[in-house]
Each structure stands twice: as C-alpha cells, then as structure tokens.
Amino acid sequence: MRDAPPDDEPMAEPPEDRLTPGLYIVAGPIGNLEDLSPRAARILRAADVVACEDTRVTAKLLRAAGSGRPMLPYHEHSGPDVEARLLDRAARESVALVSDAGTPLISDPGYSLVRAARARGIAVTTAPGPSAAITALSISGLPSDRFLFAGFLPAKAVAREKAISAVAGIPATLIFYETGPRLAASLAALAAALGGREAAVARELTKRHEELVAGPLPELAARYAGQEPKGEIVLLVGPPAGEVVAADALDEALRTALRTMPPGKAAASVAAALGLPRGDVYARAMALKSA
Ligand code: SAM
C-alpha cells in the first residue's frame, strides 16, 4: 500500500478524515511544537487511535495538532498483550505511534511493534520528522558523512568503558544520548579512552536555551566536571584522527601485535606504525581482546 511513487509526487493519501488501515510511525517535535509537520498533524487528527508513551505528554501534542483522537499507552513496559491488541487494530484500523519526543524507535519504543506488523503483512508507513541525534549532528561542526548513533551509554563505570571500547576504533562521528546527571562521568570516560578527539555537547535543541559547546574531549570533561547541566543533551565525538586508515587494517595490525605483546605495548607499536592516537588504538586493542 505504502511504497513511494516512482517520481517525487507526494503519496496519494485519503482525505483529512480517513486513513487506510495500518501502522503510522509519526515523528513529533523534540521541544518546539512548531516542528510538528502538517502531515504528521493530519495523521494525528485522522488516526483511529494514537499509541503513545505518556498520555499527558501526547495530550499536549494532540491539542497542538487539533486532534481529539483517543490515546492508548504503549511504552517500554507494555507486555505482548498490549502489542498484540495494537496489531489487531492496525490490521483493520489506522494506528498512529508517537513517542514523548522526536522519532519513535530512536531510543524509544516501537521496534518490536514495527517488526511484528511487517511480519503480519500490516502496512507500515511514516510521517518523518525531528530526531535529536540528527538535529545535533547537523549543527555540531563534526564530520557528518559517516556517523554512528549509539543511544545512551551505560550508567555503571565498567559497562560504560566496555561500550566506549566497542566503538572507539569506528571511523565515524559517534552520537550518544545523555542526561545532565551523567554527562560529567561520560565525558571523563570518553576523554580517558579516546584522548583529544573533537566533541560537542548539544543541549536543549530547538528550545529557548538551545546551546552547543564544542571542543576537545579533555576540555569538555574539565568544563563539565562536577556539573549537572539542566535539560536534554546529545553528546557527539568526532572520528579518530587516523580516519583514513581502514578499520580492517587497524584490526589486522592489532591482532598480529597482540599475539606477541600485551595490549599497551601492542597499541603503542601499532599507533606509531599507523600514525594513530595511542588512546584510540588502545581502546580498540582492548575491544578486540574482550571480543
Ligand atoms: N526519540 C527521540 C529522538 O528521536 O530524538 C529520543 C528519545 S530519548 C528517550 C530522549 C533523549 O533524546 C534525551 O535524553 C536526550 O539525550 C535526547 N533529546 C531529546 N530531545 C532533545 C533536545 N531537545 N535537545 C537535546 N537532546 C534531546
């Protein structure tokens, strides 16, 4: 039903008050209600039901869209029964899925619903819109040709270090979601593992106190040490300096070195040979060792 037309004409959609049955993934604003698209608003006015995380938050969105459609809670703790009921409805009615902010499924519920809907042959379509990760990347000044969205870093130190090691050698800008109380610890861990890589802290995007602070990781770690900035935060880290060295070539060199040397020495020798920052190479060596 929903494949895009072959040219750039808009999808043929039924009039305002009718939607064909299916699951509609509807992106909402990340803080600024004006970012709700007219098409998203129309779908929210026409859907038979709007599945959402928090009905109080979505009630505001529906008011802004001029929608009085009923809501059904669907969140990370919803069991398989809730999902099955939503799928049954989506098979014969229009079900819109929104999250508290931005695009559903992006560090938000919806993945298993979309997967199950597709498996059942239920039509799945989208009204795309803002997502904090892309919004932050677009103003960060960090390379945007290749990026990896890695969600939230773990709260506990050991798990966080492991998660950082796993992405340290990836030649792409890294994007994390973050919270004020955890920002300082995450920046300190990233600086320890990744050295002086360029980074940015994007806060309160699209809102009155929007702010972007950029600088090398150690500088940002020092600036935010002991602080708990208010509001919502995206943390971005630029790619390793030796981005031109293929990830495969780095791994190959490290594996060879690790056969005869401990990780610290292997990292130092490979970093010198390939002209890469030692911290990055060490993090990758540790990731390969624990893989
Ligand atoms: N689905 C959302 C999206 O598409 O961006 C993300 C939901 S996730 C549960 C919430 C996290 O997104 C926040 O903790 C923060 O890291 C980030 N975020 C959401 N809105 C933001 C904003 N206005 N400015 C900065 N970060 C934001």
Side-chain angles (χ1 to χ4, degrees):
M1 164 188 106
R2 288 284 164 189
D3 280 347
D7 50 29
D8 58 1
E9 276 173 33
M11 275 183 186
E13 280 175 342
E16 172 82 23
D17 57 343
R18 279 180 31 233
L19 286 176
T20 52
L23 179 61
Y24 293 73
I25 304 301
V26 179
I30 55 167
N32 191 325
L33 278 174
E34 284 183 51
D35 293 332
L36 180 69
S37 79
R39 181 161 168 260
R42 181 170 58 74
I43 290 173
L44 294 178
R45 284 194 296 274
D48 289 306
V49 65
V50 178
C52 62
E53 292 182 88
D54 183 334
T55 51
R56 289 163 305 182
V57 174
T58 299
K60 286 188 202 148
L61 183 69
L62 294 189
R63 258 199 307 282
S67 166
R69 305 309 298 152
M71 291 178 276
L72 251 181
Y74 174 71
H75 42 71
E76 56 182 332
H77 305 298
S78 296
D81 290 358
V82 176
E83 193 160 298
R85 276 201 295 278
L86 277 173
L87 289 171
D88 286 345
R89 290 194 71 167
R92 50 195 161 72
E93 293 179 290
S94 51
V95 175
L97 175 70
V98 298
S99 49
D100 285 353
T103 301
L105 281 83
I106 308 303
S107 285
D108 266 338
Y111 164 68
S112 64
L113 193 65
V114 169
R115 203 170 159 79
R118 289 205 161 278
R120 276 181 56 170
I122 294 170
V124 182
T125 188
T126 177
S131 188
I134 300 293
T135 308
L137 180 66
S138 72
I139 59 165
S140 67
L142 293 169
S144 54
D145 54 338
R146 234 178 327 170
F147 57 89
L148 176 85
F149 171 64
F152 288 92
L153 280 169
K156 298 218 169 96
V158 174
R160 184 167 52 222
E161 274 159 30
K162 229 176 155 182
I164 293 171
S165 287
V167 295
I170 294 174
T173 292
L174 307 173
I175 308 177
F176 303 99
Y177 282 165
E178 201 36 271
T179 64
R182 279 160 44 175
L183 177 66
S186 291
L187 279 170
L190 284 163
L194 308 183
R197 277 157 75 164
E198 285 295 315
V201 173
R203 203 169 62 81
E204 292 289 87
L205 294 164
T206 75
K207 306 186 206 177
R208 189 204 300 218
H209 298 295
E210 175 176 299
E211 172 186 80
L212 187 118
V213 181
L217 274 171
E219 222 169 78
L220 292 180
R223 175 182 174 132
Y224 288 102
Q227 285 193 39
E228 292 191 6
K230 286 197 172 36
E232 302 193 274
I233 295 166
V234 181
L235 178 50
L236 305 99
V237 181
E243 186 184 0
V244 285
V245 175
D248 286 356
L250 170 62
D251 286 3
E252 183 57 37
L254 273 174
R255 282 201 187 91
T256 307
L258 284 167
R259 274 188 219 122
T260 54
M261 294 179 224
K265 275 201 166 156
S269 134
V270 170
L274 299 181
L276 296 174
R278 194 169 154 174
D280 293 344
V281 178
Y282 180 71
R284 186 64 196 151
M286 295 307 286
L288 288 177
K289 256 192 102 68
S290 61

